[in-house]
Amino acid sequence: MTIHCPSCGSPHVISRNVGRKVGGATGAAAGAASGAAGALSGAKAGALVGAMVGPAGITIGGLSGAVFGGLLGGTTFGVAGAKLGHELDQKMLDNYACCACDCTFRPHAE
């Protein structure tokens, strides 16, 4: 389905995806903050598992648990924010821009 500009009728239309970009960035930032708490609990869990190996296992387990907890939090929130932003793009925002006349618009639901 080709989308045409409602103002000039041009088929040269791009999707802006502003909501997805902002939602993903905001979600990743929130995930990084949440990931700090996840990193602490991940470090504790990693140190507990690593304690079975010995002192070196506590250090390695704690460090890997902290890294994994931080990455998991940032990724999870980033994906959730991008999905929410995508829904906003499709239902609320003028997600499309005409390259010919710079008109921004939201296509009508069929």
Side-chain angles (χ1 to χ4, degrees), residues 23-24 27-28 74-85:
T75 303
T76 302
F77 278 83
V79 169
K83 286 187 179 191
L84 176 64

Side-chain angles (χ1 to χ4, degrees), residues 45-59 61:
L48 183 64
V49 171
M52 290 185 252
V53 177
I58 293 173
T59 304

Side-chain angles (χ1 to χ4, degrees), residues 34-48 61-62 65-66 69:
S34 174
L40 181 60
S41 65
K44 287 180 183 177
L48 183 64

